[in-house]
């Protein structure tokens, strides 16, 4: 058991290092974004960014989790090859259709989410990003599933370095607006798909198996509902906040929300390592004791991170280095939400620990019920708290929603 517990946390550390680069991207670029873009403009970016992550759930329609689950349960290499090939071709086909629709409806979508058709060019850019975003995920999931954690982290790191470099060149040197952020994502995601795909060609063959697709879709639709509820909890507050308080308040909220990235890194690294770890222990004697120990150690680590950064975040953000602060002072009013966001991420990590039973018993409906409860409570709490407490109300609503899911 000690070796098993050591493995999950050593893998989690490696994945966290890879995720550090990936998830730290918006964090590292905050000094540039908040210096060069006023809150209202950054608020427009945050609204389009939120729309991106909400729509990506439909691009993937639960296939990420269904693919990984079936791939890990497959008994031989031939079956794994059929699952991977069928998934990738299916996702490519449906993503092209979705992106064409979004491209031609770009002005309409822009008017609905940003209040102006003038931002339609951002939605057209997003149509291409969503295609690349959907495709790169599956080679990376495969790499994760065969537990090649170092390769996974290396590829992520290369893509992030590329993204940061393009952001700096376009924003600092060429003085472009928020469209520069989207160009950077498009290039880095396309690059990541190409290199990750070539790293997994062993499992790919041209051709799609109808029986495999049916099996995937049978599992995927349940995870689609689960994904919609989870992504809604993370993003719906931006749109409600914009409705009541305006895009400038969304910009301040989103910038401060990103400071919680520290806890998110811990959760993301653990999440990536967790699924293949516990699935490979299915049926193993003594696995309950292992999961219990993992949960205990996760609580210890999560609480330490929460306490440290709740106490230090305010001072760290205001440190001035060569004229740069992590957040420009016009965004400092949002720092009050950081403890609530850190605690929200901690509850989401504790919730992840409890998902083992649903996967083992094939009772995904319990994940749907718990995430639906979190989503409904989040929407209700946002409408109750935001008009009176603004960004603090939005942060508290997110925290309480994850706590309800965990309970």
């Amino acid at each position: 058991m000690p070796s098993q517990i050591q493995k999950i946390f050593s893998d989690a550390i490696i994945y966290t290092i890879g995720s550090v680069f990936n998830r730290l991207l918006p964090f590292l670029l905050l000094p540039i974004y908040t210096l060069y873009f006023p809150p209202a403009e950054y608020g427009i970016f945050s609204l389009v960014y939120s729309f991106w992550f909400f729509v990506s759930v439909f691009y993937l329609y639960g296939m990420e989790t269904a693919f990984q689950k079936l791939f890990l349960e497959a008994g031989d290499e031939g079956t794994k090859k059929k699952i991977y090939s069928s998934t990738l071709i299916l996702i490519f086909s449906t993503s092209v259709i979705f992106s064409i629709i979004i491209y031609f409806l770009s002005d309409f979508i822009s008017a609905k989410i940003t209040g102006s058709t003038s931002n339609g060019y951002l939605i057209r850019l997003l149509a291409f990003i969503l295609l690349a975003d959907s495709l790169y995920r599956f080679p990376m999931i495969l790499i994760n599933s065969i537990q090649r954690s170092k390769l996974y982290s290396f590829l992520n790191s290369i893509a992030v370095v590329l993204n940061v470099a393009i952001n700096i060149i376009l924003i600092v040197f060429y003085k472009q607006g928020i469209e520069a952020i989207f160009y950077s994502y498009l290039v880095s995601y396309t690059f990541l798909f190409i290199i990750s795909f070539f790293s997994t060609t062993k499992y790919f063959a041209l051709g799609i198996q109808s029986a495999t697709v049916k099996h995937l879709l049978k599992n995927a639709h349940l995870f689609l509902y689960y994904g919609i509820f989870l992504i809604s909890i993370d993003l719906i507050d931006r749109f409600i906040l914009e409705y009541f308080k305006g895009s400038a308040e969304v910009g301040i909220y989103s910038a401060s929300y990103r400071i919680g990235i520290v806890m998110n890194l811990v959760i993301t690294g653990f999440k990536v390592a967790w699924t293949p770890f516990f699935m490979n222990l299915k049926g193993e004697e003594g696995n309950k004791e292992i999961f219990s120990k993992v949960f205990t150690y996760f609580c210890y680590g999560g609480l330490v991170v929460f306490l440290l950064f709740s106490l230090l975040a305010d001072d760290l953000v205001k440190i001035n280095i060569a004229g740069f602060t992590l957040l420009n002072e016009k965004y400092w009013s949002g720092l009050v939400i950081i403890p609530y966001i850190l605690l929200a991420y901690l509850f989401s990590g504790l919730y992840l620990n409890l998902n083992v039973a649903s996967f083992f018993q094939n009772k995904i409906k319990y994940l749907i019920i718990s995430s639906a409860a979190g989503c409904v409570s989040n929407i209700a709490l946002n409408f109750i708290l935001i008009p009176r407490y603004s960004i603090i109300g939005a942060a508290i609503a997110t925290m309480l929603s994850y706590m309800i899911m965990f309970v």
Side-chain angles (χ1 to χ4, degrees):
M1 184 175 70
S3 63
Q4 295 281 11
I5 293 174
Q6 185 179 6
K7 176 171 175 54
I8 177 60
F9 285 109
S10 63
D11 277 355
I13 289 169
I14 294 171
Y15 284 123
T16 299
I17 292 169
S19 299
V20 161
F21 286 103
N22 199 2
R23 298 284 176 170
L24 269 184
L25 176 60
F27 184 78
L28 292 171
L29 291 168
L30 268 179
I32 293 175
Y33 292 165
T34 57
L35 179 64
Y36 284 88
F37 304 138
E41 192 173 0
Y42 190 74
I44 295 296
F45 162 71
S46 299
L47 290 168
V48 177
Y49 189 81
S50 299
F51 173 74
W52 167 6
F53 276 83
F54 184 76
V55 172
S56 68
V57 175
F58 295 93
Y59 269 70
L60 298 167
Y61 46 90
M63 289 290 282
E64 280 182 301
T65 312
F67 164 69
Q68 186 168 38
K69 184 176 185 293
L70 294 178
F71 186 89
L72 287 167
E73 291 175 345
D76 59 88
E77 295 295 305
T79 305
K80 290 181 177 182
K81 194 171 185 177
K82 288 178 183 177
I83 292 169
Y84 178 56
S85 303
S86 298
T87 302
L88 202 56
I89 293 170
L90 180 64
I91 287 293
F92 172 76
S93 303
T94 54
S95 295
V96 168
I97 295 170
F98 293 155
S99 286
I100 290 172
I101 294 169
I102 287 176
Y103 186 90
F104 286 105
L105 292 177
S106 56
D107 287 341
F108 173 78
I109 295 169
S110 174
K112 290 299 180 183
I113 66 171
T114 71
S116 173
T117 58
S118 63
N119 298 308
Y121 72 104
L122 296 175
I123 306 299
R124 288 189 284 277
L125 266 175
L126 188 59
F128 291 100
I129 296 171
L130 281 161
L131 176 60
D133 181 25
S134 300
L135 289 175
Y136 93 83
R137 293 171 185 258
F138 292 91
M140 294 297 285
I141 292 170
L142 192 153
I143 291 168
N144 166 233
S145 297
I146 58 178
Q147 295 184 298
R148 295 186 65 185
S149 54
K150 292 179 181 177
L151 175 62
Y152 184 96
S153 297
F154 175 70
L155 296 181
N156 257 328
S157 303
I158 293 175
V160 170
V161 169
L162 181 64
N163 195 314
V164 171
I166 296 171
N167 265 286
I168 292 171
I169 291 168
L170 294 180
I171 296 171
V172 178
F173 294 104
Y174 285 92
K175 309 299 181 185
Q176 289 198 10
I178 54 174
E179 70 274 7
I181 307 173
F182 294 99
Y183 282 123
S184 303
Y185 276 115
L186 179 59
V187 174
S188 62
Y189 281 177
T190 302
F191 178 77
L192 184 56
F193 169 66
I194 292 169
I195 57 176
S196 62
F197 176 73
F198 279 106
S199 299
T200 57
T201 50
K202 170 187 173 183
Y203 292 94
F204 183 78
L206 277 175
I208 189 166
Q209 301 285 328
S210 59
T212 303
V213 169
K214 287 178 182 177
H215 194 33
L216 283 163
L217 292 175
K218 183 180 178 182
N219 285 270
H221 80 95
L222 293 174
F223 292 112
L224 170 61
Y225 310 137
Y226 176 55
I228 290 171
F229 292 138
L230 287 184
I231 204 74
S232 296
I233 294 171
D234 279 339
L235 303 178
I236 201 73
D237 52 2
R238 271 72 162 184
F239 298 102
I240 299 174
L241 193 60
E242 197 274 339
Y243 176 78
F244 283 110
K245 302 294 181 178
S247 59
E249 199 79 351
V250 176
I252 292 169
Y253 176 72
S254 299
S256 298
Y257 198 102
R258 291 183 186 277
I259 304 299
I261 199 75
V262 178
M263 181 66 82
N264 193 23
L265 289 174
V266 175
I267 305 306
T268 301
F270 178 80
K271 181 180 179 180
V272 175
W274 182 231
T275 303
F277 173 80
F278 75 69
M279 287 298 292
N280 284 315
L281 284 178
K282 186 176 181 179
E284 292 285 331
E285 187 177 350
N287 57 14
K288 291 182 182 179
E289 190 176 354
I290 294 172
F291 300 148
S292 176
K293 291 286 186 183
V294 169
F295 181 80
T296 302
Y297 295 143
F298 184 91
C299 287
Y300 291 155
L303 286 169
V304 168
V305 173
F306 164 70
L307 290 171
L308 275 176
F309 284 92
S310 291
L311 292 170
L312 301 176
D314 196 72
D315 294 322
L316 292 173
V317 163
K318 296 178 181 178
I319 293 174
N320 192 310
I321 301 174
F324 283 92
T325 54
L326 185 58
L327 278 184
N328 189 271
E329 62 183 52
K330 58 182 175 279
Y331 289 84
W332 286 355
S333 61
L335 295 177
V336 67
I337 72 169
I338 290 175
Y340 303 112
I341 299 305
L342 291 171
L343 198 55
Y345 279 129
L346 177 59
F347 278 121
S348 74
L350 296 175
Y351 174 75
L352 280 175
N353 276 266
L354 306 181
N355 289 353
V356 177
S358 295
F359 275 82
F360 279 11
Q361 299 296 325
N362 286 318
K363 293 183 178 179
I364 308 303
K365 66 178 182 180
Y366 291 112
L367 296 181
I368 296 172
I369 291 168
S370 58
S371 58
C375 181
V376 171
S377 62
N378 182 262
I379 294 170
L381 288 166
N382 272 302
F383 274 105
I384 293 168
L385 297 175
I386 286 177
R388 185 170 181 180
Y389 301 107
S390 189
I391 59 173
I392 297 176
I396 291 173
T398 301
M399 180 195 71
L400 292 176
S401 300
Y402 278 114
M403 185 181 72
I404 288 167
M405 286 172 57
F406 168 65
V407 172

